[in-house]
Amino acid sequence: GIQVEQSPPDLILQEGANSTLRCNFSDSVNNLQWFHQNPWGQLINLFYIPSGTKQNGRLSATTVATERYSLLYISSSQTTDSGVYFCAVDGNAGGTSYGKLTFGQGTILTVHP
Amino acid sequence: NAGVTQTPKFRILKIGQSMTLQCAQDMNHNYMYWYRQDPGMGLKLIYYSVGAGITDKGEVPNGYNVSRSTTEDFPLRLELAAPSQTSVYFCASSYASGGARETQYFGPGTRLLVL
């Protein structure tokens, strides 16, 4: 099956700093989503981005499908950005994938005041 | 609308007991999924459904069963609970038509402890 690797595994920032999280995947994809899992365990949709660039406030994401990677940018980080960031892909290995997501291991982000 | 809802929020089971985790969505989504998340890990797919009456196995189906009699509901059944099933369970749903896929939305999760 498709492999998803996220880096870095851990990231510690001071409030106000910028950061870039990376997601590499091993095959072509139908779908790629970024999630934020907050300290209470809730999974929050950030982006649905199988290709191209999207922005939402201080967050933006870029997926370069031909090179099989996606980047999540967080600018002017806040303590509420702390948590785990997951990349998940719906792989397309020549057949119908039915939207089944394969998750990376996540990046644990800690933002200090 | 409420989105994806799950009950219960938390449950403790004894080894060998059975239970059903409930999931419902009110977004008229045709696709529904069950994932589990073990500590420090990403989510793994247990079962999925592409419509009422149609279900199939995901990556880690052993020890679980599902059914989908309506578009809205997708319960997950644990038979003979084992400590290895201690995890957080997430239900999700999305809409798909033809080759188009849309965002997958997740419920709040059910935390299960098997002792």
Side-chain angles (χ1 to χ4, degrees):
Chain A
I2 194 167
Q3 304 298 312
V4 182
E5 292 184 4
Q6 292 185 242
S7 60
D10 297 276
L11 188 57
I12 299 174
L13 298 175
Q14 210 62 33
E15 201 167 29
N18 302 330
S19 61
T20 300
L21 283 59
R22 187 177 179 102
C23 172
N24 292 332
F25 43 96
S26 61
D27 206 343
S28 57
V29 297
N30 288 320
N31 173 19
L32 186 146
Q33 289 186 234
W34 282 98
F35 297 91
H36 174 213
Q37 188 167 40
N38 63 24
W40 295 269
Q42 186 182 8
L43 277 167
I44 300 162
N45 282 303
L46 296 178
F47 294 103
Y48 171 87
I49 186 165
S51 63
T53 297
K54 291 187 178 180
Q55 180 155 8
N56 184 4
R58 296 180 297 103
L59 274 59
S60 64
T62 294
T63 298
V64 184
T66 52
E67 297 187 21
R68 299 182 183 167
Y69 73 88
S70 184
L71 301 173
L72 177 69
Y73 305 97
I74 304 174
S75 64
S76 303
S77 58
Q78 301 175 356
T79 56
T80 51
D81 295 331
S82 295
V84 185
Y85 288 80
F86 287 106
C87 167
V89 302
D90 169 8
N92 175 19
T96 304
S97 60
Y98 300 114
K100 297 178 288 182
L101 291 178
T102 299
F103 281 73
Q105 296 287 78
T107 291
I108 302 172
L109 176 64
T110 305
V111 182
H112 290 303
Chain B
N1 57 31
V4 181
T5 57
Q6 293 183 238
T7 56
K9 287 186 171 56
F10 176 66
R11 181 78 181 268
I12 299 175
L13 279 183
K14 293 183 180 178
I15 294 171
Q17 286 186 320
S18 301
M19 76 165 293
T20 299
L21 282 66
Q22 301 292 344
C23 173
Q25 53 88 13
D26 62 358
M27 297 175 282
N28 203 30
H29 286 170
N30 49 352
Y31 285 21
M32 295 187 75
Y33 310 86
W34 275 106
Y35 296 87
R36 60 177 284 175
Q37 183 181 28
D38 297 332
M41 306 288 284
L43 282 68
K44 292 186 178 181
L45 182 67
I46 306 171
Y47 269 95
Y48 68 101
S49 168
V50 300
I54 307 170
T55 63
D56 205 350
K57 296 176 181 178
E59 183 183 355
V60 289
N62 290 344
Y64 307 95
N65 277 301
V66 293
S67 60
R68 188 146 177 228
S69 56
T70 67
T71 301
E72 294 79 19
D73 301 296
F74 190 39
L76 177 72
R77 177 86 177 156
L78 276 73
E79 305 283 1
L80 298 174
S84 61
Q85 294 178 303
T86 293
S87 191
V88 181
Y89 292 84
F90 288 96
C91 179
S93 72
S94 66
Y95 181 77
S97 176
R101 300 281 184 270
E102 295 186 4
T103 302
Q104 205 165 118
Y105 293 92
F106 282 74
T110 293
R111 191 173 297 270
L112 177 66
L113 180 59
V114 182
L115 299 174

